[in-house]
Amino acid sequence: MSNSPDRTIRREVLAGPGSVATRQRKSKIQNPKSKMSRRGATVVLVAVCLIAIVGVVALAIDGGVLFDKRRSVQAAADAAALAAADDLFKNYNTNQGVDKNGTAKASALSTAKANGFDNGGTTNTVTVNIPPASGFAAGQTCYAEVIIQFNQQRSFSAIFGAGTVPVQARAVAYGHPSPNGMYILDTKDPDSLDVTGIVTVQNNSGIQVNSSATGAAQIHNTGNLTCGGLNVVGTLQIQSPGSVSYTGGGSLNQGAGVIADPLASVPEPTPSGTNYGSPTYNTSTTIYPGIYNGITIGPSATVTMSPGIYYIEGNGIKWQAPPPNQPGGTLQGSGVMIYNTSGDHINPQPAGIMNLSAPTSGTYQGIIWFEPRTSNAQLHIESTQSITLAGTLYSQAGFWDIRPDGASTVFNFGSCIAFKAEFCDGNDQKSKSNGQINFNPNSGAPSQRPALVE
């Protein structure tokens, strides 16, 4: 049934003037606002909020772009600083950490350009400071500072202002090859470093001992150690009148942090080349890189190693005993690395002469003796004749026992990286291994690779 006007009036009459139906009817007549008029108020509210909504969108979109660009600018600054440090690192022996010819700066700018920042001056600028102009390394050699600024165009955020938004990143890298002449990697045992005779680490270079034990490093009563600083995770013990002297303003630092094997990233070589077997040389001879099951050197022989890697297996290298009061045979060569899998079978005792220098470039730059990383052998270098191994003695898990026998005997090395080491052991017992041991890290492997520091 439909609700006709007459029927509605009759309901109101029957209900009476104060009924609910009557009041509702009057309300509709007296308040004629429509649903459309209420929707119009919402539109106005949305319009007022639109500016804030657009602002949030601008922040989300432009902020995301700026965040992404900040990462790419920082990555480019890091790469450019490392490129400059790598140049300082490679040319350290010549330039001593100074960019004399501008090659480090050029390398940084080239690397930044390759990463999208060409130093054009409009969209981006690249500033290279060698040495750094700010930070803890300000004015110090061997450091490179790179600052990159990119001017980001606005998109939605243009409603808030004109112009570009600068995005800046800074990086500092270090390029000194050899801060330490000796790394002792054992982390727990006492006497990891044992000095019983005269040991000098040259060029103000230091020593790192990772052992946390009491007496991790020990200087015996006949020991005399000179170095540019001694960093020991545990403690140093000195037995009087033994002594330690520091050069270049260095000092003792007990409670130091552990430093990982600096050559850990250098790949272990794989034996390759001609297998020469086990030759014996009684006359002067030139030999070539390859695999040797053993080398025997007669008293009168001078054996010259051509540049390359020598894989020494089985019987190692032996020197035949010379006549009384005569020197033994000589092993010499430059650009040489010995990879020794023979264990403790390379020993010039009693009177062998060694005069070798390491490669000056390539993967094994500065490494004269490489022990397998799985070998924990105790390795002896002992002779009554002076010995020069201009390079790093590297034995990650092994033990170096080095003994120059006689007060006039001098051993010269580049640097030493080993699990443990003792020098001139027996000097205080037999007055025998009382010679001089020198380490010159400049002729050793670069033990501090270029690295970011800021």
Side-chain angles (χ1 to χ4, degrees):
M1 294 177 63
S2 63
N3 290 327
S4 66
D6 292 340
R7 190 179 300 278
T8 302
I9 293 171
R10 284 199 299 273
R11 283 203 301 269
E12 291 179 358
V13 170
L14 292 174
S19 67
V20 173
T22 301
R23 290 197 301 273
Q24 290 177 343
R25 176 72 174 173
K26 290 180 179 180
S27 174
K28 291 179 180 179
I29 294 172
Q30 294 172 0
N31 187 19
K33 291 183 179 179
S34 67
K35 292 182 179 180
M36 290 298 294
S37 66
R38 291 196 296 272
R39 288 174 181 167
T42 303
V43 170
V44 172
L45 181 62
V46 170
V48 171
C49 294
L50 189 58
I51 295 176
I53 293 171
V54 172
V56 171
V57 172
L59 181 63
I61 295 178
D62 282 23
V65 170
L66 289 172
F67 183 77
D68 181 67
K69 182 57 68 174
R70 173 67 175 76
R71 289 192 299 179
S72 65
V73 173
Q74 186 64 63
D78 291 348
L82 281 171
D86 186 62
D87 185 275
L88 295 173
F89 173 86
K90 289 179 179 177
N91 296 305
Y92 180 80
N93 287 344
T94 301
N95 298 331
Q96 298 296 300
V98 177
D99 190 21
K100 292 182 178 180
N101 301 315
T103 55
K105 181 176 182 178
S107 182
L109 291 171
S110 175
T111 301
K113 184 176 182 179
N115 282 278
F117 303 95
D118 61 0
N119 195 29
T122 302
T123 60
N124 69 89
T125 58
V126 181
T127 303
V128 182
N129 298 315
I130 304 172
S134 62
F136 81 93
Q140 295 189 40
T141 59
C142 301
Y143 289 87
E145 175 186 47
V146 175
I147 302 169
I148 298 179
Q149 179 173 308
F150 178 79
N151 300 316
Q152 176 65 46
Q153 293 291 333
R154 296 175 183 267
S155 56
F156 277 88
S157 66
I159 65 173
F160 299 118
T164 59
V165 179
V167 181
Q168 191 176 91
R170 172 179 177 271
V172 177
Y174 177 66
H176 190 300
S178 299
N180 287 316
M182 195 181 302
Y183 293 84
I184 306 302
L185 305 177
D186 173 30
T187 60
K188 62 181 182 180
D189 294 332
D191 210 20
S192 292
L193 172 63
D194 182 300
V195 177
T196 312
I198 303 171
V199 177
T200 299
V201 180
Q202 300 171 342
N203 299 315
N204 299 324
S205 295
I207 296 174
Q208 171 72 28
V209 180
N210 281 347
S211 174
S212 60
T214 299
Q218 297 191 21
I219 312 299
H220 292 271
N221 60 352
T222 54
N224 187 323
L225 174 64
T226 301
C227 61
L230 180 55
N231 300 309
V232 187
V233 177
T235 64
L236 168 68
Q237 291 183 343
I238 302 176
Q239 185 182 58
S240 182
S243 65
V244 180
S245 301
Y246 299 102
T247 61
S251 62
L252 171 64
N253 177 22
Q254 298 180 111
V258 170
I259 295 181
D261 174 4
L263 299 186
S265 63
V266 177
E268 192 159 333
T270 300
S272 60
T274 302
N275 191 325
Y276 291 98
S278 302
T280 297
Y281 301 107
N282 290 309
T283 58
S284 296
T285 307
T286 297
I287 63 174
Y288 300 94
I291 302 170
Y292 293 82
N293 189 56
I295 295 174
T296 302
I297 302 173
S300 60
T302 296
V303 177
T304 301
M305 288 179 151
S306 299
I309 301 177
Y310 291 76
Y311 301 93
I312 307 300
E313 302 177 344
N315 297 319
I317 302 176
K318 297 179 180 179
W319 282 257
Q320 293 177 345
N325 301 316
Q326 296 294 318
T330 299
L331 181 64
Q332 65 182 21
S334 59
V336 170
M337 186 181 85
I338 293 173
Y339 180 68
N340 173 47
T341 62
S342 72
D344 190 24
H345 291 107
I346 300 179
N347 189 7
Q349 189 183 24
I353 299 170
M354 299 176 73
N355 189 355
L356 302 172
S357 64
T360 57
S361 62
T363 302
Y364 302 105
Q365 176 185 346
I367 304 176
I368 192 72
W369 189 324
F370 196 128
E371 285 288 310
R373 292 193 171 103
T374 56
S375 173
N376 61 359
Q378 183 169 353
L379 305 159
H380 294 82
I381 300 177
E382 183 172 6
S383 180
T384 59
Q385 301 297 313
S386 293
I387 286 176
T388 295
L389 295 176
T392 296
L393 305 175
Y394 180 50
S395 180
Q396 186 187 72
F399 190 138
W400 288 107
D401 184 345
I402 299 177
R403 307 185 184 196
D405 291 341
S408 63
T409 304
V410 179
F411 287 0
N412 295 304
F413 304 108
S415 59
C416 176
I417 299 174
F419 191 70
K420 294 183 179 182
E422 60 184 20
F423 302 106
C424 304
D425 184 51
N427 179 34
D428 58 349
Q429 301 170 13
K430 304 175 183 177
S431 296
K432 180 182 178 184
S433 299
N434 57 347
Q436 170 84 35
I437 301 175
N438 299 318
F439 290 95
N440 179 2
N442 285 350
S443 67
S447 57
Q448 179 66 53
R449 305 285 166 172
L452 291 169
V453 294
E454 283 192 72

